Amino acid sequence: MGLSPLGPAEWIDVGEDRRFQMAEKRRLLDERRREVLASLPGSEAACRETLALLRDNLSRFHPGLLQSGPEGGVDEPGLHPLEIAGRLVQEDFCVLEPGERAYRLTAGCVCFPSNWSLSDKLGRVLDEIHGPVPGFREALGSPVDRFFARLAPGQVVGRLNWLIHDSPALFQFGRNPAPPDLTPENAGDTLWLRTERQVLQRLPESDAVLFTIRTRARRLREAVASPAKAAELAEALRAMPPALQAYRHMGPIGDALLAWLDREAASAPCSSSSAPDAI
């Protein structure tokens, strides 16, 4: 699962991309609300607890984010608690509550999905949510269920997920074909490395598990800025089982991507007597 312990101060990640991402969240919540915000009856208490936990955390570590305004949350009567939460920070929110068989997704505010639909996942249990992921049920189904059952209140853990996309768009609702002009020469400028910082913690009153996602997208050339990083990413891609490559939409872009990475990995800084000592 690749989980690492975090302190409460590390939960919310405020980045240099905040202004852009918050504007995009406001646009999506205004224009595509039904696609990015959903909840089941009975999830109200867990959603209110989520907002209370967020407000407490922000008051301690990021008090400036609680101020209303063009970049802050707007606490208006009738707004869903997860919408208020989503308008306060860059993270997306998923609430998973225990059921008879397993934890299931009962509410979410997900403005930046990576080729999945909140409405499709709502009400499903963990192994159904991850059903499209090759090998998840066999390799991780039981460990994930045990982890959710044992996660203690006050414990905060995180993991990093990464994907290669053909667009910097944060709202990725459906898979797109590879860019028609993608080549080994321009892959670094055409493709994007998308990272998801995923954090899990227990909501002690409702016994739900809160899952938050902080998304970033960087042009591949900027993210893979050294031969060593290019070699590392190429090795990880080649080690990926074919089914997982297909799930991650690597088929249409894989050849050009690997060729570009191999070229970058083989490159070395050029030295010249006329070059400046420092840049």
Side-chain angles (χ1 to χ4, degrees):
M1 295 173 62
L3 295 169
S4 300
L6 300 174
E10 299 176 277
W11 172 23
I12 300 301
D13 178 18
V14 182
E16 72 289 342
D17 51 357
R18 174 176 167 79
R19 182 179 294 275
F20 167 75
Q21 289 202 358
M22 297 311 296
E24 181 67 357
K25 273 196 163 190
R26 290 193 299 273
R27 183 188 72 81
L28 290 164
L29 284 164
D30 291 341
E31 299 177 5
R32 308 184 73 159
R33 178 187 176 89
R34 295 183 66 179
E35 294 173 83
V36 301
L37 178 69
S39 61
L40 295 177
S43 65
E44 294 84 0
C47 293
R48 289 193 298 268
E49 190 178 2
T50 295
L51 180 58
L53 180 69
L54 176 64
R55 281 179 167 153
D56 177 70
N57 186 276
L58 294 181
S59 69
R60 296 165 59 195
F61 305 112
H62 306 284
L65 300 190
L66 286 172
Q67 299 173 358
S68 61
E71 290 189 357
V74 181
D75 192 356
E76 296 179 356
L79 280 185
H80 193 282
L82 293 190
E83 177 173 355
I84 299 173
R87 289 179 180 268
L88 280 168
V89 295
Q90 293 168 257
E91 278 76 3
D92 282 327
F93 294 81
C94 293
V95 174
L96 298 110
E97 298 187 71
E100 292 183 3
R101 185 165 69 87
Y103 280 79
R104 65 175 186 146
L105 179 64
T106 60
C109 180
V110 182
C111 293
F112 305 149
S114 182
N115 294 321
W116 60 278
S117 166
L118 177 61
S119 60
D120 288 345
K121 306 293 186 182
L122 193 69
R124 297 192 178 190
V125 297
L126 287 170
D127 60 355
E128 294 172 340
I129 290 172
H130 294 97
V133 182
F136 175 86
R137 185 169 299 176
E138 297 80 5
L140 289 175
S142 295
V144 169
D145 287 339
R146 289 195 297 269
F147 166 78
F148 269 66
R150 296 174 181 174
L151 184 64
Q155 183 182 6
V156 184
V157 298
R159 66 184 300 271
L160 189 68
N161 187 40
W162 61 270
L163 308 101
I164 304 294
H165 277 200
D166 48 30
S167 165
L170 295 167
F171 180 84
Q172 295 271 356
F173 190 73
R175 297 183 183 274
N176 299 315
D181 56 348
L182 179 65
T183 68
E185 289 71 36
N186 67 16
D189 298 305
T190 305
L191 300 177
W192 297 75
L193 178 68
R194 179 181 173 117
T195 60
E196 297 176 346
R197 182 177 182 266
Q198 303 171 351
V199 178
L200 299 101
Q201 55 193 309
R202 173 81 61 193
L203 299 175
E205 295 179 11
S206 61
D207 200 32
V209 170
L210 176 62
F211 178 79
T212 58
I213 311 162
R214 166 70 161 94
T215 300
R216 293 175 182 267
R218 295 184 65 192
R219 194 179 298 276
L220 185 62
R221 183 180 298 279
E222 298 172 358
V224 182
S226 71
K229 288 184 177 181
E232 184 179 3
L233 181 55
E235 181 181 0
L237 290 171
R238 287 192 167 97
M240 194 178 293
L244 189 56
Q245 290 187 23
Y247 169 74
R248 287 177 173 249
H249 194 45
M250 297 302 302
I253 64 175
D255 291 343
L257 169 60
L258 283 170
W260 182 85
L261 289 171
D262 289 342
R263 188 180 65 185
E264 293 297 305
S267 67
C270 296
S271 60
S272 172
S273 57
S274 61
D277 292 335
I279 297 176

